């Protein structure tokens, strides 16, 4: 006490007892986990999901440190049957209930008295627990299969006669089966969908909550905590923000319109703009796009009515259904198109109308989601209603598209992950001028890690999502492998997004090149853009903000999937993107952006 008073005497603090408390707190024990609380909550689309709260013992008192809400993810396509959607919702509800039970019982006991700053130890224990649950499920399935086989054997013994009557039917079945077999030989069969263990949300939710608690206890932002974990506690001198892929159009695949190929059309601001300037520019384009999509003679949408008080009048009941359906759950505008060029020309028109030029002032990315379009009977993709293309024809189509619209600098899921030869071909043809990104192939991070390699087709990079049993340590390990193999990392938010903004800190801390958060509407999506803006301001204030860059990968013609990628291209110069890049291996120059003279952006 005498030592403390002597140390504080020269300072003469206004709050002596508070300063004494701070002095003695340096000698207190490090906080440890005392309780985990799991509860069932709703995500941004009204689906059930998991929230995990972390409580720690801090100076002999139980204190709530933080919480995290997991985003729900579904592999059900947009045009799924109602029965399939209903079954998926039931399965998701059961999974959340099981996850809540795991957190409140097993994980609560298992992680008690551990330090929240010891992420590796916690994740190792969570991984072992998950493996144990997987083995238990396999054992149960094995027992069920044995019982089923015994029942079938018993049934076979009781019915031995219908061999003669079965012959005609067998011939017909074999004939139709041959037709399907011939068609399916044209393409590699689809890989089986990896089953999701019921309750797996508990693993990912707890791991992320522990990371947030560790950052809170260490009194540093989550993104810096993640960066320290990735670089073995070596603090980076500079950090770059991921470039946002901001969804502007959602082309519905089950709409009356013909186009099925494009799921999302996204805007990527130039690297020379700050994030704030880039978002302002996207908002200007969005306003113009809403004006272009407004039906003639119809009432303005509710979004426009809020901003144009006094001018919004409901001119008829017919306008209401369209207005209500103008906005997707992805936080963007919904439209339907009849051909592949229509949404691109629409974007070009919107930009030209406000004095912007695509390819200089803004760039485009397209999420093709081609894995949802394969007709396995024909062995072709249905890109338009009634129009089919083989995997090789798809490659030719993309090459022609990028040559015609060079402002498209990223294609997400242009092919199924099974069409590996075509991935190799498209990367050789377009890799030096456009990012070819795999999203569906990277849905489950556990399948990416195989013998210190990345189990994906030849591509520029992958979209990673923090879902189900994914742990923070998994993301750190996978992004490290992606960095070493010159793949770009994109952190993407699932369709069923929550208001938790941790994905932004993960993207910044992991050094992701892009972040894919959806559109600039809906609270659960805008809150993440607000977090990204706050991080930009903080890094700029600390003078640790590094400008992002756009560097493409030139793939060698003889490169093999998952093995060899050529060196990155040199840093971008200040030249503008040439209007036409006809040679597949041509060097890509810088992608600058200069504000037009009449621009009001700051």
């Amino acid at each position: 006490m005498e030592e403390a008073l002597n140390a504080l005497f020269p300072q003469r603090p206004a709050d002596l007892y508070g300063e004494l408390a701070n002095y003695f707190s340096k000698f207190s024990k490090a906080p440890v986990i005392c309780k985990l609380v799991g509860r069932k909550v709703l995500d941004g689309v009204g689906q059930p999901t998991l929230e995990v709260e972390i409580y720690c013992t801090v100076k002999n008192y139980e204190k709530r440190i933080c919480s995290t809400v997991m985003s729900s993810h579904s592999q059900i396509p947009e045009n799924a049957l109602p029965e399939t959607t209903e079954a998926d919702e039931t399965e998701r509800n059961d999974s959340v209930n099981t996850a809540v039970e795991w957190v409140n019982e097993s994980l609560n006991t298992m992680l008690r008295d551990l330090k929240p700053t010891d992420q590796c130890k916690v994740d190792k224990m969570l991984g072992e627990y998950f493996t144990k649950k997987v083995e238990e499920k396999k054992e149960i399935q094995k027992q069920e299969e044995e019982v089923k086989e015994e029942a079938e054997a018993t049934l076979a013994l009781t019915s031995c006669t219908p061999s003669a009557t079965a012959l005609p039917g067998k011939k017909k079945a074999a004939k139709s089966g041959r037709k399907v077999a011939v068609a399916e030989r044209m393409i590699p069969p689809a890989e089986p969908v990896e089953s999701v263990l019921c309750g797996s949300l508990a693993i990912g939710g707890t791991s992320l909550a522990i990371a947030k608690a560790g950052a809170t206890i260490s009194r540093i932002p989550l993104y810096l905590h993640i960066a320290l974990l990735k670089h073995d506690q070596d603090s980076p001198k500079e950090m770059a923000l991921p470039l946002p892929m901001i969804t502007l159009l959602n082309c519905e695949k089950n709409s009356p319109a013909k186009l099925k190929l494009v799921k999302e059309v996204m805007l990527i601001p130039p690297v020379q703009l700050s994030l704030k300037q880039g978002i302002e520019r996207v908002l200007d384009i969005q306003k113009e796009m809403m004006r272009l999509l407004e039906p003639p003679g119809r009432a303005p949408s509710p979004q426009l009515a809020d901003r144009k008080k006094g001018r919004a009048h409901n001119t008829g009941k017919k306008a209401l259904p369209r207005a209500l359906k103008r906005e997707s759950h992805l936080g963007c505008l919904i439209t339907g198109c009849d051909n592949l060029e229509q949404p691109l020309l629409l974007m070009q028109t919107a930009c030209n109308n406000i004095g912007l030029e695509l390819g200089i002032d803004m760039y485009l990315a397209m999420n093709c989601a081609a894995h949802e379009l394969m007709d396995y009977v024909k062995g072709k993709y249905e890109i338009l209603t009634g129009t089919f293309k083989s995997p090789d024809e798809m490659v030719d189509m993309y090459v022609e598209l990028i040559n015609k619209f060079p402002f498209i600098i990223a294609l997400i899921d242009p092919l199924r992950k099974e069409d590996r030869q075509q991935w190799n071909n498209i990367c050789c043809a377009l890799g030096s001028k456009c990012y070819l990104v795999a999203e569906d192939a990277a849905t489950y991070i556990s399948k990416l890690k195989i013998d210190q390699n990345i189990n994906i087709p030849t591509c520029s990079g992958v979209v990673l999502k923090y879902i189900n049993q994914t742990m923070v340590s998994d993301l750190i390990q996978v992004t490290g492998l992606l960095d070493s193999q010159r793949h770009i990392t994109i952190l993407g938010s699932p369709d069923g997004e929550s208001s938790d903004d941790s994905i932004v800190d993960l993207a910044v801390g992991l050094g992701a090149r892009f972040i894919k958060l959806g559109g600039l509407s809906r609270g659960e999506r805008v809150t993440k853009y607000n977090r990204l803006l706050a991080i930009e301001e903080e890094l700029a204030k600390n003078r640790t903000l590094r400008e992002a860059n756009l560097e493409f990968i030139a793939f060698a013609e003889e490169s093999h999937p998952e093995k060899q990628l050529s060196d990155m291209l040199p840093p971008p110069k200040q030249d503008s993107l040439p209007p036409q890049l006809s040679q597949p291996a041509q060097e890509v120059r810088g992608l600058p952006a200069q504000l037009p003279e009449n621009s009001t952006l700051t």
Side-chain angles (χ1 to χ4, degrees), residues 6 12 69 81 93 176 284 349 356 442 527 532 549 566:
N6 288 335
R12 297 184 180 275
V69 179
L81 296 173
N93 191 58
S176 60
D284 288 340
T349 302
L356 300 177
T527 188
L532 199 56
N549 58 54
S566 65

PDB file of all heavy atoms in Angstrom, residues 6 12 69 81 93 176 284 349 356 442 527 532 549 566:
ATOM      1  N   ASN A   6       3.031   5.989  -2.742  1.00  0.00           N
ATOM      2  CA  ASN A   6       4.200   6.744  -3.192  1.00  0.00           C
ATOM      3  C   ASN A   6       4.203   6.921  -4.712  1.00  0.00           C
ATOM      4  O   ASN A   6       4.622   7.951  -5.233  1.00  0.00           O
ATOM      5  CB  ASN A   6       5.489   6.036  -2.750  1.00  0.00           C
ATOM      6  CG  ASN A   6       5.719   6.146  -1.262  1.00  0.00           C
ATOM      7  OD1 ASN A   6       5.225   7.079  -0.619  1.00  0.00           O
ATOM      8  ND2 ASN A   6       6.458   5.201  -0.692  1.00  0.00           N
ATOM      9  N   ARG A  12      -1.280  12.966  -8.202  1.00  0.00           N
ATOM     10  CA  ARG A  12      -2.430  13.635  -7.577  1.00  0.00           C
ATOM     11  C   ARG A  12      -3.711  13.423  -8.400  1.00  0.00           C
ATOM     12  O   ARG A  12      -4.307  14.369  -8.919  1.00  0.00           O
ATOM     13  CB  ARG A  12      -2.162  15.135  -7.416  1.00  0.00           C
ATOM     14  CG  ARG A  12      -0.985  15.435  -6.496  1.00  0.00           C
ATOM     15  CD  ARG A  12      -0.807  16.932  -6.272  1.00  0.00           C
ATOM     16  NE  ARG A  12       0.329  17.179  -5.399  1.00  0.00           N
ATOM     17  CZ  ARG A  12       0.270  17.167  -4.051  1.00  0.00           C
ATOM     18  NH1 ARG A  12      -0.883  16.906  -3.472  1.00  0.00           N
ATOM     19  NH2 ARG A  12       1.342  17.416  -3.341  1.00  0.00           N
ATOM     20  N   VAL A  69     -23.771 -14.105 -32.456  1.00  0.00           N
ATOM     21  CA  VAL A  69     -24.927 -14.767 -33.081  1.00  0.00           C
ATOM     22  C   VAL A  69     -24.466 -15.357 -34.402  1.00  0.00           C
ATOM     23  O   VAL A  69     -23.899 -14.663 -35.249  1.00  0.00           O
ATOM     24  CB  VAL A  69     -26.082 -13.768 -33.324  1.00  0.00           C
ATOM     25  CG1 VAL A  69     -27.258 -14.475 -34.006  1.00  0.00           C
ATOM     26  CG2 VAL A  69     -26.523 -13.142 -32.015  1.00  0.00           C
ATOM     27  N   LEU A  81     -38.499 -27.002 -54.233  1.00  0.00           N
ATOM     28  CA  LEU A  81     -39.907 -27.298 -53.981  1.00  0.00           C
ATOM     29  C   LEU A  81     -40.279 -26.930 -52.550  1.00  0.00           C
ATOM     30  O   LEU A  81     -39.424 -26.965 -51.652  1.00  0.00           O
ATOM     31  CB  LEU A  81     -40.169 -28.787 -54.210  1.00  0.00           C
ATOM     32  CG  LEU A  81     -39.961 -29.307 -55.646  1.00  0.00           C
ATOM     33  CD1 LEU A  81     -40.079 -30.824 -55.671  1.00  0.00           C
ATOM     34  CD2 LEU A  81     -40.971 -28.670 -56.595  1.00  0.00           C
ATOM     35  N   ASN A  93     -34.218 -26.117 -37.410  1.00  0.00           N
ATOM     36  CA  ASN A  93     -34.774 -25.890 -36.079  1.00  0.00           C
ATOM     37  C   ASN A  93     -34.251 -26.934 -35.092  1.00  0.00           C
ATOM     38  O   ASN A  93     -33.868 -26.606 -33.957  1.00  0.00           O
ATOM     39  CB  ASN A  93     -36.296 -25.939 -36.153  1.00  0.00           C
ATOM     40  CG  ASN A  93     -36.951 -25.451 -34.881  1.00  0.00           C
ATOM     41  OD1 ASN A  93     -36.743 -24.318 -34.449  1.00  0.00           O
ATOM     42  ND2 ASN A  93     -37.746 -26.307 -34.258  1.00  0.00           N
ATOM     43  N   SER A 176     -34.055 -47.412 -70.355  1.00  0.00           N
ATOM     44  CA  SER A 176     -34.088 -46.005 -69.973  1.00  0.00           C
ATOM     45  C   SER A 176     -32.846 -45.642 -69.178  1.00  0.00           C
ATOM     46  O   SER A 176     -32.347 -44.527 -69.264  1.00  0.00           O
ATOM     47  CB  SER A 176     -35.347 -45.709 -69.144  1.00  0.00           C
ATOM     48  OG  SER A 176     -35.325 -46.506 -67.966  1.00  0.00           O
ATOM     49  N   ASP A 284     -24.988   6.258 -55.055  1.00  0.00           N
ATOM     50  CA  ASP A 284     -25.438   7.075 -56.193  1.00  0.00           C
ATOM     51  C   ASP A 284     -25.898   6.189 -57.348  1.00  0.00           C
ATOM     52  O   ASP A 284     -26.925   6.455 -57.985  1.00  0.00           O
ATOM     53  CB  ASP A 284     -24.299   7.990 -56.654  1.00  0.00           C
ATOM     54  CG  ASP A 284     -24.017   9.127 -55.678  1.00  0.00           C
ATOM     55  OD1 ASP A 284     -24.922   9.415 -54.871  1.00  0.00           O
ATOM     56  OD2 ASP A 284     -22.903   9.678 -55.706  1.00  0.00           O
ATOM     57  N   THR A 349     -25.695   1.738 -68.207  1.00  0.00           N
ATOM     58  CA  THR A 349     -26.565   2.899 -68.385  1.00  0.00           C
ATOM     59  C   THR A 349     -26.673   3.711 -67.101  1.00  0.00           C
ATOM     60  O   THR A 349     -26.591   4.950 -67.127  1.00  0.00           O
ATOM     61  CB  THR A 349     -27.973   2.443 -68.826  1.00  0.00           C
ATOM     62  OG1 THR A 349     -27.865   1.693 -70.038  1.00  0.00           O
ATOM     63  CG2 THR A 349     -28.902   3.628 -69.024  1.00  0.00           C
ATOM     64  N   LEU A 356     -20.332   8.365 -64.554  1.00  0.00           N
ATOM     65  CA  LEU A 356     -19.299   7.401 -64.187  1.00  0.00           C
ATOM     66  C   LEU A 356     -19.062   6.438 -65.340  1.00  0.00           C
ATOM     67  O   LEU A 356     -19.968   6.158 -66.129  1.00  0.00           O
ATOM     68  CB  LEU A 356     -19.703   6.615 -62.935  1.00  0.00           C
ATOM     69  CG  LEU A 356     -19.962   7.426 -61.658  1.00  0.00           C
ATOM     70  CD1 LEU A 356     -20.422   6.506 -60.539  1.00  0.00           C
ATOM     71  CD2 LEU A 356     -18.723   8.203 -61.238  1.00  0.00           C
ATOM     72  N   ALA A 442     -16.043 -24.187 -51.608  1.00  0.00           N
ATOM     73  CA  ALA A 442     -15.432 -23.875 -50.318  1.00  0.00           C
ATOM     74  C   ALA A 442     -16.467 -23.760 -49.206  1.00  0.00           C
ATOM     75  O   ALA A 442     -16.213 -23.144 -48.175  1.00  0.00           O
ATOM     76  CB  ALA A 442     -14.648 -22.567 -50.429  1.00  0.00           C
ATOM     77  N   THR A 527     -25.177  -2.916 -40.944  1.00  0.00           N
ATOM     78  CA  THR A 527     -24.370  -2.831 -39.721  1.00  0.00           C
ATOM     79  C   THR A 527     -22.937  -3.311 -39.957  1.00  0.00           C
ATOM     80  O   THR A 527     -21.992  -2.826 -39.326  1.00  0.00           O
ATOM     81  CB  THR A 527     -25.032  -3.646 -38.583  1.00  0.00           C
ATOM     82  OG1 THR A 527     -24.342  -3.400 -37.369  1.00  0.00           O
ATOM     83  CG2 THR A 527     -24.989  -5.141 -38.854  1.00  0.00           C
ATOM     84  N   LEU A 532     -17.142  -1.810 -40.976  1.00  0.00           N
ATOM     85  CA  LEU A 532     -15.995  -1.675 -41.870  1.00  0.00           C
ATOM     86  C   LEU A 532     -15.546  -0.214 -41.958  1.00  0.00           C
ATOM     87  O   LEU A 532     -14.339   0.081 -41.968  1.00  0.00           O
ATOM     88  CB  LEU A 532     -16.375  -2.206 -43.259  1.00  0.00           C
ATOM     89  CG  LEU A 532     -15.243  -2.588 -44.216  1.00  0.00           C
ATOM     90  CD1 LEU A 532     -14.303  -3.617 -43.599  1.00  0.00           C
ATOM     91  CD2 LEU A 532     -15.808  -3.113 -45.528  1.00  0.00           C
ATOM     92  N   ASN A 549      -4.821  -3.566 -53.079  1.00  0.00           N
ATOM     93  CA  ASN A 549      -4.406  -3.624 -54.484  1.00  0.00           C
ATOM     94  C   ASN A 549      -5.163  -4.719 -55.208  1.00  0.00           C
ATOM     95  O   ASN A 549      -5.734  -5.615 -54.600  1.00  0.00           O
ATOM     96  CB  ASN A 549      -2.891  -3.870 -54.598  1.00  0.00           C
ATOM     97  CG  ASN A 549      -2.466  -5.148 -53.899  1.00  0.00           C
ATOM     98  OD1 ASN A 549      -3.000  -6.221 -54.159  1.00  0.00           O
ATOM     99  ND2 ASN A 549      -1.498  -5.053 -53.008  1.00  0.00           N
ATOM    100  N   SER A 566       1.379 -19.565 -61.027  1.00  0.00           N
ATOM    101  CA  SER A 566       2.531 -18.742 -61.360  1.00  0.00           C
ATOM    102  C   SER A 566       2.606 -17.539 -60.440  1.00  0.00           C
ATOM    103  O   SER A 566       1.705 -17.261 -59.665  1.00  0.00           O
ATOM    104  CB  SER A 566       2.431 -18.280 -62.811  1.00  0.00           C
ATOM    105  OG  SER A 566       1.312 -17.437 -62.966  1.00  0.00           O
TER     106      SER A 566
END
